[in-house]
Amino acid sequence: MTRVTPAPAHRIQVVAHRGSSEDAPEHTLAAYRKAIEDGADALECDVRLTADGHLVCVHDRRVNRTSNGRGAVSALELADLAALDFGSWKDAAESPDWKDPSLTSVLTLERLLELVADAGRRVELAVETKHPTRWAGQVEERLLALLGRFGLAAPASPEESPVRIMSFSARSLHRVAEAAPRIPTVYLTQFATPRVREGRLPAGVRAAGPGIRIVRSHPGIVARLHEAGHQVHVWTVDEPADVELCMRLGVEAIITNRPGQVLSQLGRR
């Protein structure tokens, strides 16, 4: 069994995975409002491009799982998606607010950026580009253009940026780095490849995003990534024991469906 040496105490960023998605339907305005109310430091979202060029917050390639409709996001226009209910799949008995269509309609990234801008405090955004996609290259282009409209595409430095872009695709992150070098990037991985276990990431990437199963099985990977100068943002961390492990290892960010509970465990609520 690998011995885990406690890391120096530091403030771990709590990132709401698809919003407070245990309490409200993922990727809906209801989930992100709840995450802000819960005190999340940052909001995580997945983005896909519609057939008519809009970035929407949807995880799956198809809308079947999280809406009352069917079809691929890339083949549907925004008006088609706006006619669907993205909250009906989750039990609404605990929250009558979900019955409000404005809170469970498809969420555009533009609307999410507006929500963050109006939060009344600093709330960061972790945007994940989904691949493969028929719109290769266009997703990053539209994403950076939209961030530019909100004054977020050219931060003074990566450390000051309230937005970071994440992906399992090294090519996607390379496109972002070439077009907007001061926006930090996170390389997501669900497998402990030899490269990552040695602390190596694609050129220009500032942080690793390993899944919690990797961290459980190979806790020493965090120290190696830190030694290589990288941050570590772990997903998806919901269980108290996993939160404790991340605390001991000194990761920089915990991505969770339960931001309120994690903040409580960290002594911040």
Side-chain angles (χ1 to χ4, degrees):
M1 181 176 178
T2 304
R3 183 181 180 85
V4 176
T5 302
H10 69 285
R11 183 185 176 95
I12 299 174
Q13 187 179 66
V14 176
V15 185
H17 183 243
R18 309 178 197 174
S20 286
S21 54
E22 181 172 90
D23 296 326
E26 66 181 61
H27 283 130
T28 62
L29 195 58
Y32 287 111
R33 282 185 176 177
K34 181 68 165 59
I36 292 173
E37 292 170 4
D38 287 343
D41 300 307
L43 310 178
E44 184 270 350
C45 69
D46 305 292
V47 293
R48 291 186 178 275
L49 198 61
T50 66
D52 53 344
H54 294 274
L55 287 167
V56 291
C57 301
V58 180
H59 177 271
D60 300 356
R61 186 178 71 85
R62 300 178 65 84
V63 300
N64 304 33
R65 178 179 66 87
T66 56
S67 83
N68 58 350
R70 300 183 65 82
V73 175
S74 62
L76 297 169
E77 296 189 353
L78 182 59
D80 301 321
L81 294 167
L84 303 178
D85 180 359
F86 281 81
S88 59
W89 63 274
K90 194 173 178 72
D91 182 10
E94 299 177 5
S95 178
D97 290 342
W98 299 349
K99 296 177 182 179
D100 181 348
S102 69
L103 295 178
T104 57
S105 179
V106 68
L107 181 66
T108 63
L109 181 60
E110 181 176 13
R111 180 67 185 91
L112 182 57
L113 285 165
E114 291 172 349
L115 179 69
V116 168
D118 294 337
R121 63 179 176 87
R122 181 182 173 97
V123 178
E124 297 189 6
L125 195 60
V127 182
E128 179 184 342
T129 63
K130 305 301 292 184
H131 294 275
T133 173
R134 65 187 292 190
W135 305 119
Q138 294 185 47
V139 172
E140 292 81 12
E141 182 181 339
R142 297 294 180 96
L143 171 56
L144 293 175
L146 182 57
L147 293 178
R149 285 174 47 197
F150 282 80
L152 301 172
S157 68
E159 292 76 17
E160 295 180 44
S161 176
V163 176
R164 56 184 174 268
I165 298 177
M166 312 191 299
S167 186
F168 288 94
S169 168
R171 182 173 296 181
S172 174
L173 298 181
H174 177 70
R175 292 188 190 111
V176 171
E178 282 203 322
R182 292 198 295 273
I183 292 182
T185 53
V186 182
Y187 182 56
L188 300 172
T189 180
Q190 57 183 331
F191 302 109
T193 63
R195 179 188 181 98
V196 174
R197 289 178 66 176
E198 292 169 6
R200 294 186 292 133
L201 300 180
V205 174
R206 298 175 55 82
I212 186 60
R213 285 183 292 182
I214 293 177
V215 175
R216 288 191 207 117
S217 301
H218 307 281
I221 201 171
V222 174
R224 285 190 288 277
L225 286 162
H226 282 161
E227 289 165 3
H230 304 303
Q231 292 189 3
V232 181
H233 302 189
V234 185
W235 56 275
T236 303
V237 186
D238 290 338
E239 299 304 320
D242 290 333
V243 175
E244 179 64 28
L245 174 62
C246 288
M247 292 168 63
R248 295 203 309 272
L249 294 173
V251 308
E252 280 71 30
I254 287 175
I255 303 172
T256 177
N257 297 316
R258 307 170 176 175
Q261 292 175 236
V262 171
L263 284 163
S264 293
Q265 187 170 347
L266 295 176
R268 292 178 50 196
R269 285 190 72 183

